[in-house]
Amino acid sequence: MKLELARVVRGTGRLGVLRGLGRTAQHSLEVPGCLLYTHLGAVPHLTQDTLHTLSSLPSVTQVTLSNIAEHQEVLEEFKDGFRKFAGLHDTLLYCSLHDSAAPCPTGYTTNKTVSVWGSGGRIELTVAKFMALQKAVQPDWYQSMADGETWQNNTSRKRVRKSVDRTLAHLDECLLAHQNSQELEGVEVFGVVEGGDIPEERVRSARETAKRPVAGFCLDGLQTGSMDQALRTQLIAAVTKELPEEKPRLLQGVGRPDEVLACVEVGVDLFESFFPFQVTERGCALCFSFNISLDPERAGRALPAGVVDSLLELNEDERDTAGETQHNGDVSLDDQTRMTSFEMNLKDKRYHDDFRPLVEGCGCYCCKNHQRAYLHHLLVTNELLAGVLLTIHNTAHYQGFFSALREAVAGDKLDILRRRVLRERKE
Amino acid sequence: MAAAVVACGAGTHHTSESQMPLKKALSAASPLTLRIVAECSVTKARACDLILPHSAVSTPVFMPVGTQGTLKGITVDQLEGLGCQICLGNTYHLGMRPGPDLITKANGLHGFMNWGRNLLTDSGGFQMVSLVELSEVTEEGVKFKSPYDDKEILLSPEKSISIQNSLGSDIMMQLDDVVSSTVTGPRVEEAMHRSIRWLDRCIAANKNPNKQNLFAIIQGGLNADLRKACLDEMTRRDVPGFAIGGLSGGEEKDDFWRMVTLSTDHLPREKPRYLMGVGYAVDLVVCVALGCDMFDCVFPTRTARFGSALVPWGSLQVKHKQYAKDFQPIDPDCQCPTCKRHTRAYLHALFKSDTAAMHHITIHNIAYQLTLMRSVRQSIVEDRLPEFIRTFMKRMFPSRDQYPGWAVDALASVNVTVE
């Protein structure tokens, strides 16, 4: 793979296209962008028909070893790789270790192993088993095995140092096995940068990882809830300074729009898209505005509050009194399920007879065919269709946000986009 | 009032009536028209075109059940894509949540669900049996204690029809006094007579006779005399269609089929016959031969969510270990989206990870039911239903001595031997 950068200005994000992806080197992925989050290859709740109501999908599907590991034997017998096993056509496959929306118990990592949790319990992975899995999955690219258990509040410096050391050791072992494996010819490996919340360790991890022949970098241990955005920004900035410009950077565990914006500014290219899934699971719909195409007359001038309000056609009644401001990621991992200011809670009684679409102007299947009142009914009656329709909308909305993000980076308008996105209002 | 137009199209096998004249509908807008396209020359089966306000429906037809205004994880587009022309909604559930007023505001159940084809609503009567702990029956109606807010509600014939008028379904069911088919004694007779009285009240209460069809429901339990009495009375009423109710509730199959065939013997030929609550493949095929046109059942969609996929040779429990490494589709001959793309092994694995697995099976099961009915219909049109039935039974059961006795008897009663 090759990252063609169209634009790199420190502090304002990178814009480009990741080309030559996949075994056939035919696919590409725009950057900043996100991967398609799945459970064992299925976007949550969706079958192919419902998935393909979405017009713009990322060309890369993400699968996780936490879903796949327990099926190793089946895949080995199948022989033709996970993509074929799952009936996925014409998409690229990226294999990560953990599922960012399913935090797992800690304390099981050793010098030689990491653990994932499948439906039947804990599965311990050595590098050998990890690589055997990659050979069975046959992804287009994967992250190397890593120890990222540094996100807890009281992680000691010693523990952080260990995570950096172990991760580098795992990377070297993975690369060796990779180079000697015919099945993985053409498959790319991403190195994983660890270092907890300690800047020196982060820099060390970045420098050392960059020395290895990897195709790109995963930034780990920075997930939502592990630290506030200010620290995350600082650490990522320090890390990206040490990384080669022409290789992509994928940030794991971060998905909230405000956090995404901040991280793009300090050099992150790719994100996971588990955030729309989390929003769906709590019966909410993404509704934050990311439309920054302003009247050219007004561009560049500070807009008085009243004018902006009328532009957005806001309804004061929509302000959700239950939602709490979630600007700075000052939230523990346990609060991952808490509602953010970027969404509306469709279980709320106020939507009982609201016959508008979820988001006016959204072209997704849900907004074109259904109304808030219907979604409210489905949620109140615990109907499965709620998950299907909300996933469609939330995925579409999130993709729209990334599209706006790319436009904003291209036009040097990240600031404007951030102000729009952070307005804490519902439409 | 609104008479059904009867037309004998090409392929009909009542040769003595080949010159039957067309009867014009008395009212300008008849919300139901039944065209008998073909009649089996051996059994009592018919293939018809049932013209309803939203679209035409080919019978025999299986109607999937979408109790609360949704078909368990399937979008209306997917349902349409499978060829479904009519599905069910439930008055009791929708009457509680979200309630008739909200649905009226939403342009009826069609508008609320965004379903452009036909809808049939049950009256809420069956809940009397299924939720019997929470209900009490009087001449007035059924008193329910709401499980959601402990309030008491009275579902009378008038109230049921009022809700169904708000729902705007193409076919509405009368409120009937439903008694479990395993109950015997005077209660059965009482319920039968009351159902007749309630039918009259329902007819009187229907505010939209030009847009919504009210079907009567024949009761009488497993008692031939009571059934016959009910048939005699109810067929005097000019309703556009009849349902055979009070069956499919755990009674002996030997009694079940006898009541079905007795009912179709005495129901008018030119009106549709709807057998309620029947959905197992064998039951469908046999009851088509006995003269039924329409069926509904939660079974195919419910069993899907437990990983049970319906196939011509029975069912396949996808979640069982034996399918973990089975790289065939559920049914290699099935053309549904699930079978065209996925294997048993993948679905088996997916059940451990995501609800999408249930949806894949639900789609397959609906496709199975609809395909079965299409094949049955085609065989009637081509007048080879007996042959179809024999092939069907051979595929479904490993050997002749495993054919259900009641099915063999029922088929024999309409001149079909399954050797």
Side-chain angles (χ1 to χ4, degrees):
Chain A
M1 68 174 73
K2 189 170 180 298
L3 179 58
E4 286 174 10
L5 289 166
R7 227 195 115 86
V8 180
V9 181
R10 278 232 87 82
T12 61
R14 295 143 52 93
L15 181 79
V17 184
L18 199 52
R19 286 200 202 281
L21 293 175
R23 311 293 200 92
T24 57
Q26 306 278 29
H27 291 83
S28 63
L29 183 63
E30 285 185 292
V31 145
C34 65
L35 313 174
L36 188 62
Y37 174 77
T38 71
H39 291 155
L40 208 69
V43 173
H45 305 295
L46 304 188
T47 65
Q48 288 302 316
D49 300 328
T50 41
L51 178 65
H52 289 296
T53 60
L54 291 159
S55 52
S56 72
L57 285 171
S59 54
V60 183
T61 295
Q62 177 181 4
V63 290
T64 66
L65 287 183
S66 52
N67 281 160
I68 290 183
E70 67 195 272
H71 305 292
Q72 182 176 350
E73 230 185 84
V74 179
L75 286 170
E76 281 169 351
E77 191 159 319
F78 183 71
K79 289 199 188 67
D80 289 332
F82 182 83
R83 195 206 333 260
K84 207 151 177 236
F85 177 69
L88 297 168
H89 307 322
D90 205 35
T91 182
L92 299 172
L93 210 59
Y94 164 71
C95 186
S96 69
L97 182 58
H98 294 295
D99 180 337
S100 293
C104 44
T106 54
Y108 293 91
T109 318
T110 70
N111 279 337
K112 294 285 180 193
T113 68
V114 300
S115 290
V116 292
W117 271 258
S119 69
R122 186 169 76 92
I123 300 173
E124 198 168 70
L125 305 176
T126 56
V127 172
K129 190 170 165 78
F130 178 90
M131 292 307 291
L133 274 164
Q134 300 300 343
K135 286 189 209 160
V137 172
Q138 292 163 36
D140 292 286
W141 97 81
Y142 63 95
Q143 61 151 107
S144 92
M145 196 165 105
D147 169 14
E149 247 174 58
T150 56
W151 46 266
Q152 279 169 312
N153 271 333
N154 46 7
T155 309
S156 70
R157 199 183 181 97
K158 186 166 158 211
R159 179 65 183 88
V160 173
R161 206 179 309 133
K162 242 205 287 199
S163 83
V164 175
D165 293 334
R166 282 173 179 171
T167 300
L168 285 166
H170 295 329
L171 174 58
D172 288 336
E173 238 190 290
C174 281
L175 286 173
L176 191 59
H178 184 105
Q179 279 147 21
N180 291 332
S181 158
Q182 258 195 337
E183 298 99 314
L184 294 176
E185 178 141 357
V187 178
E188 315 255 31
V189 184
F190 270 34
V192 184
V193 175
E194 300 287 353
D197 56 0
I198 301 169
E200 301 82 60
E201 287 300 308
R202 282 279 167 194
V203 168
R204 180 168 79 94
S205 179
R207 277 201 192 129
E208 287 301 314
T209 309
K211 290 183 188 161
R212 275 74 172 167
V214 292
F217 303 89
C218 287
L219 309 185
D220 195 19
L222 295 154
Q223 59 264 47
T224 301
S226 64
M227 61 183 68
D228 64 28
Q229 186 56 45
L231 179 57
R232 182 180 298 118
T233 297
Q234 182 199 337
L235 293 171
I236 294 179
V239 162
T240 54
K241 250 217 221 108
E242 309 293 332
L243 300 178
E245 253 190 18
E246 74 282 0
K247 290 185 181 175
R249 301 89 176 253
L250 162 61
L251 175 60
Q252 293 175 155
V254 170
R256 262 183 25 209
D258 54 334
E259 296 175 330
V260 167
L261 278 162
C263 294
V264 164
E265 282 177 342
V266 282
V268 174
D269 302 316
L270 293 171
F271 299 81
E272 301 170 316
S273 60
F274 60 90
F275 179 68
F277 166 68
Q278 291 174 317
V279 174
T280 299
E281 293 309 282
R282 47 182 178 253
C284 295
L286 289 175
C287 58
F288 65 96
S289 175
F290 47 75
N291 185 355
I292 55 168
S293 31
L294 293 172
D295 184 50
E297 251 202 295
R298 291 202 186 93
R301 278 194 276 150
L303 299 164
V307 176
V308 175
D309 280 357
S310 68
L311 274 179
L312 294 176
E313 285 159 16
L314 294 170
N315 179 356
E316 281 298 331
D317 305 5
E318 298 289 355
R319 182 179 287 265
D320 192 304
T321 47
E324 282 149 54
T325 310
Q326 302 281 0
H327 277 307
N328 295 319
D330 296 17
V331 95
S332 74
L333 276 180
D334 300 325
D335 295 334
Q336 287 277 311
T337 50
R338 245 206 303 179
M339 200 179 132
T340 67
S341 55
F342 305 104
E343 53 201 84
M344 56 169 72
N345 177 11
L346 285 163
K347 286 196 251 208
D348 193 298
K349 276 211 262 286
R350 85 180 74 171
Y351 298 112
H352 164 79
D353 56 357
D354 187 338
F355 293 110
R356 294 175 286 176
L358 293 182
V359 171
E360 211 82 52
C362 173
C364 83
Y365 174 84
C366 178
C367 290
K368 285 211 297 237
N369 288 283
H370 294 293
Q371 302 147 331
R372 297 172 180 190
Y374 186 58
L375 265 304
H376 173 83
H377 166 72
L378 294 176
L379 286 162
V380 162
T381 54
N382 273 315
E383 283 287 341
L384 291 167
L385 188 61
V388 176
L389 295 177
L390 283 178
T391 297
I392 292 175
H393 170 76
N394 289 335
T395 302
H397 200 89
Y398 202 60
Q399 293 305 317
F401 164 63
F402 270 89
S403 188
L405 182 53
R406 288 187 285 273
E407 241 185 81
V409 174
D412 207 358
K413 295 202 179 124
L414 268 183
D415 235 17
I416 301 175
L417 180 59
R418 192 192 320 109
R419 268 185 274 136
R420 170 72 84 251
V421 164
L422 290 182
R423 282 184 61 82
E424 292 174 76
R425 301 224 177 179
K426 316 283 182 302
E427 291 183 49
Chain B
M1 292 244 299
V5 173
V6 178
C8 296
T12 190
H13 301 284
H14 272 229
T15 47
S16 59
E17 292 160 275
S18 54
Q19 297 307 314
M20 189 194 265
L22 267 153
K23 280 192 248 164
K24 274 246 186 290
L26 291 175
S27 70
S30 173
L32 185 149
T33 302
L34 188 77
R35 290 201 188 106
I36 301 176
V37 170
E39 286 173 291
C40 177
S41 58
V42 176
T43 71
K44 297 199 284 179
R46 317 98 70 73
C48 309
D49 290 340
L50 178 62
I51 319 290
L52 292 169
H54 279 83
S55 69
V57 178
S58 311
T59 76
V61 64
F62 175 77
M63 306 180 285
V65 181
T67 308
Q68 305 200 90
T70 159
L71 224 115
K72 296 291 184 259
I74 306 303
T75 65
V76 290
D77 272 19
Q78 287 177 302
L79 200 52
E80 222 180 272
L82 289 169
C84 177
Q85 297 156 325
I86 177 170
C87 65
L88 262 70
N90 190 276
T91 298
Y92 172 80
H93 291 92
L94 293 168
M96 298 274 225
R97 306 185 295 189
D101 296 332
L102 192 273
I103 295 197
T104 303
K105 278 196 222 161
N107 283 324
L109 187 55
H110 287 91
F112 192 52
M113 295 172 62
N114 198 18
W115 172 245
R117 294 181 176 179
N118 297 299
L119 283 168
L120 185 151
T121 46
D122 187 16
S123 60
F126 180 67
Q127 275 66 45
M128 291 156 60
V129 172
S130 60
L131 301 174
V132 72
E133 310 301 318
L134 303 168
S135 67
E136 192 203 320
V137 185
T138 64
E139 185 62 25
E140 230 196 325
V142 191
K143 266 203 282 243
F144 279 108
K145 206 179 179 80
S146 164
Y148 309 116
D149 56 12
D150 251 4
K151 284 204 297 219
E152 240 191 32
I153 43 160
L154 174 69
L155 190 65
S156 63
E158 292 75 18
K159 179 82 183 155
S160 175
I161 296 302
S162 165
I163 296 173
Q164 292 186 75
N165 280 151
S166 301
L167 296 176
S169 46
D170 302 276
I171 298 177
M172 310 187 290
M173 304 309 296
Q174 69 155 113
L175 183 67
D176 48 344
D177 187 357
V178 185
V179 168
S180 164
S181 51
T182 51
V183 168
T184 52
R187 176 73 183 105
V188 181
E189 179 159 5
E190 178 195 48
M192 185 273 284
H193 287 295
R194 180 172 291 140
S195 295
I196 299 169
R197 294 192 293 275
W198 281 4
L199 171 60
D200 290 337
R201 285 166 63 182
C202 286
I203 294 171
N206 183 8
K207 291 199 292 279
N208 297 330
N210 293 331
K211 281 231 221 49
Q212 295 183 268
N213 297 287
L214 175 60
F215 276 28
I217 306 179
I218 310 294
Q219 293 293 341
L222 303 176
N223 182 315
D225 294 327
L226 291 179
R227 280 258 161 206
K228 187 81 183 25
C230 196
L231 282 156
D232 285 343
E233 272 305 315
M234 286 193 173
T235 51
R236 279 193 236 272
R237 277 72 174 164
D238 188 22
V239 286
F242 295 90
I244 302 165
L247 298 175
S248 198
E251 71 278 356
E252 287 297 328
K253 278 305 222 283
D254 286 315
D255 299 321
F256 159 78
W257 78 262
R258 288 187 165 87
M259 291 299 106
V260 173
T261 208
L262 170 68
S263 303
T264 56
D265 277 343
H266 294 94
L267 285 172
R269 173 178 169 268
E270 71 282 358
K271 291 184 179 176
R273 299 96 172 250
Y274 165 27
L275 180 55
M276 305 184 80
V278 168
Y280 291 165
V282 178
D283 300 4
L284 291 173
V285 171
V286 171
C287 292
V288 166
L290 297 182
C292 299
D293 307 307
M294 303 162 67
F295 306 86
D296 82 285
C297 193
V298 293
F299 170 69
T301 39
R302 176 173 293 166
T303 206
R305 299 196 291 285
F306 293 100
S308 182
L310 302 176
V311 289
W313 59 94
S315 69
L316 207 136
Q317 309 309 319
V318 168
K319 289 166 86 168
H320 278 195
K321 250 206 312 234
Q322 69 186 105
Y323 298 110
K325 295 182 186 167
D326 190 333
F327 303 120
Q328 291 180 91
I330 291 169
D331 177 6
D333 293 326
C334 179
Q335 296 299 310
C336 83
T338 302
C339 290
K340 290 220 285 240
R341 189 185 273 264
H342 295 300
T343 62
R344 299 166 184 186
Y346 177 65
L347 294 167
H348 174 90
L350 191 60
F351 261 103
K352 299 188 204 265
S353 291
D354 198 82
T355 65
M358 291 194 283
H359 305 327
H360 284 301
I361 311 290
T362 301
I363 288 182
H364 168 80
N365 283 2
I366 295 174
Y368 171 78
Q369 298 284 112
L370 298 181
T371 300
L372 175 64
M373 298 313 269
R374 264 196 293 271
S375 315
V376 170
R377 175 188 162 91
Q378 193 56 29
S379 72
I380 299 169
V381 166
E382 294 172 11
D383 202 21
R384 48 173 182 81
L385 181 63
E387 198 186 299
F388 175 88
I389 296 175
R390 281 189 281 270
T391 309
F392 169 84
M393 296 292 277
K394 257 210 220 122
R395 189 100 206 266
M396 185 61 74
F397 301 100
S399 64
R400 170 63 182 85
D401 43 289
Q402 289 189 291
Y403 288 12
W406 73 269
V408 175
D409 294 341
L411 290 168
S413 81
V414 285
N415 310 306
V416 177
T417 49
V418 282
E419 104 274 307

